[in-house]
Amino acid sequence: MKRILLVLLFLCRLSIVLVARTQYSINEGWEFRYGPDSVSSGRDKDGWRRIDLPHTWNAEDVDDEAGGYFRGKAFYRKKVMVVRPEGTARVYILFEGSNQETRLYVNGHLVGHHRGGYSAFSFDLTDVVNFDRENNLLIEVTNSHDRTIAPLSADFNFFGGVYRDVWLVYTSQIHLSMDDVGSSGISVRTPHDNGVFRGVSVLTKLDKHISRRKTVRIVHTLFDGNNVVVRTSVGRVKFDARQEQASDEAFIPVSGPRLWSVDDPFLYTVLTRIYDAQTDELLDEVPTRFGFRWFRFDPDKGFFLNGKHLKLIGTSRHQDFLKKGNALTDDIHLRDVMKLKEMGANFLRIAHYPHDPTVLDACDRLGIVASVEIPVVNAVDSSALFLENSQRMELEMIRQNRNHPSVIMWGIMNEVLLRIPKEVQDKKSYFDLVHQIAARLDTAARAEDPDRCTFLAIHNAKELYQQAGLMDLCMVLGLNL
């Protein structure tokens, strides 16, 4: 049964080929070399060498007997034949994770730049690739210390590299947004009144790349966990000639749905299809899995799921493995969540950053309640860019993971007063800075996702957090013992 479950869960992560959208992996056949800042270490002596993704250049030097590990710049390159599938018009590259600052060059042109190492991001390649010919892809990645990018300090290694899957995604000229901070462009909410559900709210974001008026039809088909159609919703969106983006919100009435729980993790799926309203041509199609559940925290009685008390028992997890660093295959991520379930646990703290998509997919299917957090750990920086990057990380985390029923909390900070920077002379001013950043992150998270709790974790020095005004800021306080 374990082997069967492993296969079924893993199949959900394979490439998806749809009528109007094609996605396939380009993990194999890359070349890698260290950057010029590695000369003194002798790491560049071999020049370019062949590797496959996921990959980190710190797979072994974080575990050896020598002090420290390489933090600097490195490069990946690959020749990619970009063939335009019939019915598609645009091509994107999707990175599931690359640590921590990434630049992509295609045929010598800088296509995109992403800061932060733990969320997905994509770039539009359409205008720089040569279709039906080989294209030169060059990825520049650095894990060097940067005071404007969290984490600044932590009790885990800052592995460098393109350490998660990379995909090419082909779409039509009108499609579900690929420009919504790495998300699918679809947000599913399940409004309820004290556990009485009214239905499903589906917010859809669309991109248009043609300069003329267009009307599209949006069809949402709701399936239950047995693949039975529950209900269908149909709507229309009208684009003006110069309009490039639009959004639509649909409501699908549902009464008495089967609830998701740790003992019965029942999932539903909304299949969203976009049609040309004139020709009835299918333009795009994306499925979104979700679940009906409700929860609350009580300061005296604890956690309640679907109105029933549930004692949360579980563990924290990091995304690394001996001799592999953080460049893990999906089956290793899945194995960890399955072990957690076999232990009899029901909760996973995903620490201290968003993990591979496989982890929350498995939590959804196995019935594991989870929290996810951004890597603002131990300390903060006073620059405006640090706050901007932290807010961007939070937005990416929420939008990329908000459809998972397993997620109940968004973490904004962890033990942020544990390593007060040495140059800080006025602790009160520093505490004010930390409070300002925490308040901004907490407010933004509540506004972006009013259906979940915010949390902040502290170390065993309550008086410091009281001085900084952090004890009562978030909805849930985590005490790290």
Side-chain angles (χ1 to χ4, degrees):
M1 288 301 294
K2 291 178 183 177
R3 291 178 179 174
I4 294 173
L5 180 60
L6 175 66
V7 171
L8 290 176
L9 286 168
F10 183 65
L11 285 175
C12 299
R13 300 282 299 122
L14 295 178
S15 60
I16 302 171
V17 180
L18 301 170
V19 175
R21 174 180 290 229
T22 302
Q23 174 173 320
Y24 68 88
S25 167
I26 55 170
N27 283 348
E28 296 182 352
W30 289 82
E31 290 183 305
F32 168 83
R33 75 168 299 163
Y34 290 99
D37 49 355
S38 67
V39 173
S40 60
S41 69
R43 287 181 171 86
D44 67 335
K45 64 181 183 300
D46 296 328
W48 292 98
R49 58 189 176 88
R50 189 188 183 284
I51 58 96
D52 293 328
L53 304 179
H55 173 266
T56 175
W57 57 76
N58 300 122
E60 297 191 9
D61 65 351
V62 298
D63 293 319
D64 61 25
E65 297 301 320
Y69 57 97
F70 178 68
R71 297 190 67 182
K73 184 184 296 183
F75 298 92
Y76 299 83
R77 71 182 184 185
K78 177 181 172 70
K79 292 183 181 295
V80 178
M81 175 70 72
V82 181
V83 179
R84 194 195 310 255
E86 184 177 355
T88 64
R90 308 203 68 80
V91 59
Y92 296 83
I93 188 170
L94 172 64
F95 292 79
E96 290 187 356
S98 177
N99 196 42
Q100 70 176 351
E101 188 171 4
T102 306
R103 288 178 172 86
L104 173 68
Y105 298 84
V106 178
N107 298 326
H109 302 283
L110 176 62
V111 173
H113 175 207
H114 183 263
R115 294 166 62 84
Y118 304 101
S119 297
F121 56 95
S122 64
F123 302 131
D124 189 344
L125 305 183
T126 309
D127 296 332
V128 295
V129 297
N130 300 309
F131 286 98
D132 301 320
R133 291 169 55 189
E134 281 192 337
N135 293 265
N136 295 310
L137 272 60
L138 177 70
I139 305 172
E140 175 189 311
V141 188
T142 177
N143 65 338
S144 299
H145 179 72
D146 187 329
R147 292 188 62 87
T148 68
I149 305 176
L152 304 182
S153 164
D155 57 351
F156 54 89
N157 296 308
F158 306 142
F159 301 95
V162 183
Y163 70 96
R164 292 182 188 162
D165 297 324
V166 179
W167 308 83
L168 284 186
V169 182
Y170 293 88
T171 71
S172 63
Q173 293 283 30
I174 301 177
H175 55 85
L176 291 159
S177 182
M178 292 288 295
D179 191 32
D180 189 24
V181 291
S183 78
S184 66
I186 300 174
S187 172
V188 174
R189 296 181 63 187
T190 54
H192 65 90
D193 182 11
N194 199 29
V196 178
F197 289 88
R198 302 189 300 273
V200 183
S201 175
V202 185
L203 176 63
T204 306
K205 295 186 178 182
L206 304 172
D207 294 339
K208 178 174 74 72
H209 301 275
I210 51 177
S211 57
R212 62 177 183 270
R213 293 181 180 179
K214 204 69 177 176
T215 300
V216 298
R217 192 171 77 255
I218 302 179
V219 179
H220 302 289
T221 305
L222 177 62
F223 296 86
D224 67 14
N226 298 313
N227 206 33
V228 176
V229 175
V230 177
R231 194 177 291 267
T232 298
S233 168
V234 181
R236 285 175 177 259
V237 172
K238 293 183 179 180
F239 284 93
D240 293 334
R242 296 182 179 275
Q243 185 178 357
E244 296 180 348
Q245 294 182 318
S247 61
D248 175 75
E249 188 163 9
F251 186 77
I252 308 172
V254 178
S255 61
R258 184 170 164 182
L259 301 185
W260 182 94
S261 70
V262 296
D263 297 320
D264 182 23
F266 194 79
L267 296 172
Y268 288 77
T269 299
V270 169
L271 179 60
T272 301
R273 294 187 177 100
I274 313 298
Y275 293 91
D276 186 311
Q278 292 180 315
T279 66
D280 207 35
E281 175 190 1
L282 178 64
L283 301 176
D284 203 358
E285 179 180 39
V286 170
T288 305
R289 292 188 184 88
F290 70 100
F292 292 90
R293 52 86 182 117
W294 60 292
F295 66 89
R296 65 183 178 90
F297 285 92
D298 185 283
D300 299 315
K301 299 179 181 179
F303 178 72
F304 289 79
L305 180 62
N306 300 329
K308 299 178 181 179
H309 180 263
L310 178 67
K311 184 176 182 179
L312 297 178
I313 303 173
T315 184
S316 172
R317 179 200 187 249
H318 280 288
Q319 60 176 11
D320 51 20
F321 198 87
L322 183 64
K323 302 302 180 183
K324 294 181 180 294
N326 61 349
L328 307 185
T329 54
D330 290 346
D331 61 318
I332 297 179
H333 293 295
L334 176 59
R335 185 212 62 172
D336 280 357
V337 183
M338 292 179 67
K339 281 190 171 183
L340 186 66
K341 189 71 175 181
E342 292 168 4
M343 286 162 46
N346 57 30
F347 179 77
L348 176 61
R349 181 183 179 187
I350 296 176
H352 292 296
Y353 40 78
H355 289 199
D356 188 275
T358 303
V359 174
L360 283 178
D361 287 346
C363 288
D364 290 345
R365 292 179 172 275
L366 295 175
I368 300 289
V369 178
S371 65
V372 189
E373 55 201 85
I374 56 174
V376 180
V377 182
N378 290 5
V380 301
D381 186 73
S382 60
S383 67
L385 195 52
F386 178 86
L387 176 58
E388 178 185 324
N389 288 331
S390 298
Q391 289 178 309
R392 173 81 175 191
M393 288 179 184
E394 181 179 74
L395 186 63
E396 291 174 335
M397 172 184 70
I398 294 175
R399 291 198 181 174
Q400 292 176 25
N401 299 292
R402 61 189 168 187
N403 296 323
H404 291 281
S406 55
V407 179
I408 60 170
M409 290 187 290
W410 303 119
I412 67 166
M413 285 181 173
N414 177 74
E415 299 187 353
V416 76
L417 298 180
L418 183 65
R419 296 283 185 268
I420 298 175
K422 294 180 180 179
E423 64 270 20
V424 171
Q425 297 180 353
D426 183 357
K427 281 191 176 181
K428 184 181 184 305
S429 296
Y430 184 74
F431 288 171
D432 290 343
L433 170 67
V434 173
H435 184 275
Q436 178 187 6
I437 294 174
R440 293 278 291 273
L441 293 172
D442 181 73
T443 299
R446 296 192 196 205
E448 183 66 29
D449 185 359
D451 299 327
R452 290 180 173 88
C453 293
T454 59
F455 88 92
L456 179 149
I458 70 172
H459 72 287
N460 193 21
K462 294 182 181 179
E463 66 282 355
L464 293 181
Y465 294 92
Q466 287 171 341
Q467 293 175 36
L470 298 178
M471 295 290 286
D472 300 317
L473 183 65
C474 290
M475 302 163 74
V476 176
L477 181 67
L479 306 177
N480 291 347
L481 303 179

